[in-house]
Amino acid sequence: MSGAEEFVPPQARLPGLRKAVQDCRGCGLYRDATQAVFGAGPESARVVMIGEQPGDQEDQKGEPFVGPAGRMLDRALAEAGIRRSEVYLTNTTKHFKFERVSGKRRIHQKPSRTEVNACRPWLDAELRVVKPHLVICLGATAAQAMLGTSFRITKERGTVLDLPDHEAQVVATIHPSAILRFDDREAVYQGFVADLQVAAQALRSLQAG
């Protein structure tokens, strides 16, 4: 697995990166996915939110966070006071990894560390272009990609940290799709909103400074 670096056009802005990612062969995930799903949002975004990978609906539509988890995220952002227009949404990997069950049904599979590392040049390029003040990691895969494999969401979620190798701060929380799997969904959702409120306050402090 050679990684994506050779497929990332140097100095490209978001439109050029979004076009080039469709030809990426940096890992094997492109073979089964419908298409690469690049990030979405303005280059001027103050916040970059990073999830794990596109889901089934994202793979079909070519946009991140357009399924049930995306709707959950939009609701939580509004409650936390973070304007969606200020957010750039992306994932650690750009292709949907899944297993097929019961004929056509496709079930999400977690990307391997090797696959996340192979796709990292795309994420680095997005961060280079957007230059966010704040990064919000959604779930353990994104948090460990940005903060190291020793990072634990259960212990360190909702904490404002400096993002290594970037002039930005970072807050990690659960992935909105995780909320959908809990019986006590409302309590878990409120915890998610609380983490986003910490991020919103950090963003206000950064803008005031």
Side-chain angles (χ1 to χ4, degrees), residues 5-207:
E5 188 170 5
E6 64 181 286
F7 300 95
V8 179
Q11 308 306 315
R13 309 301 294 182
L14 292 181
L17 293 169
R18 186 172 289 109
K19 180 179 179 181
V21 75
Q22 298 301 330
D23 295 322
C24 186
R25 303 295 182 264
C27 76
L29 294 183
Y30 76 92
R31 295 190 184 98
D32 295 323
T34 304
Q35 59 191 313
V37 181
F38 202 65
E43 286 193 2
S44 60
R46 295 186 173 101
V47 180
V48 168
M49 303 191 83
I50 305 171
E52 181 186 87
Q53 66 162 341
D56 180 74
Q57 292 188 35
E58 287 81 5
D59 172 72
Q60 296 177 50
K61 296 179 180 178
E63 292 287 334
F65 292 92
V66 294
R71 292 189 288 275
M72 182 79 70
L73 178 61
D74 286 346
R75 175 186 160 199
L77 284 172
E79 289 191 32
I82 298 175
R83 289 197 293 271
R84 181 67 176 79
S85 60
E86 290 188 340
V87 176
Y88 180 86
L89 283 168
T90 190
N91 288 292
T92 61
T93 57
K94 309 308 185 196
H95 288 98
F96 179 36
K97 182 177 182 179
F98 62 91
E99 62 177 343
R100 198 178 296 276
V101 296
S102 303
K104 294 184 178 181
R105 191 171 176 221
R106 304 189 302 176
I107 301 299
H108 158 278
Q109 281 192 311
K110 181 179 178 179
S112 69
R113 172 60 48 188
T114 302
E115 289 160 344
V116 171
N117 289 341
C119 203
R120 181 59 185 263
W122 292 111
L123 183 56
D124 286 340
E126 289 171 297
L127 292 172
R128 168 184 61 78
V129 172
V130 178
K131 294 183 175 64
H133 295 169
L134 181 71
V135 171
I136 301 175
C137 295
L138 302 172
T141 299
Q144 291 182 359
M146 302 308 298
L147 294 166
T149 56
S150 63
F151 186 89
R152 293 293 178 266
I153 286 281
T154 52
K155 294 182 178 180
E156 300 175 271
R157 61 179 286 188
T159 302
V160 182
L161 303 168
D162 290 328
L163 183 63
D165 303 320
H166 293 274
E167 293 183 4
Q169 291 186 322
V170 58
V171 174
T173 185
I174 60 174
H175 195 286
S177 64
I179 299 169
L180 302 170
R181 298 193 291 268
F182 280 90
D183 292 331
D184 193 4
R185 187 178 299 180
E186 186 58 29
V188 178
Y189 173 78
Q190 291 303 327
F192 179 56
V193 171
D195 290 342
L196 294 182
Q197 287 172 334
V198 170
Q201 179 57 51
L203 183 62
R204 287 192 291 269
S205 297
L206 287 168
Q207 291 170 340

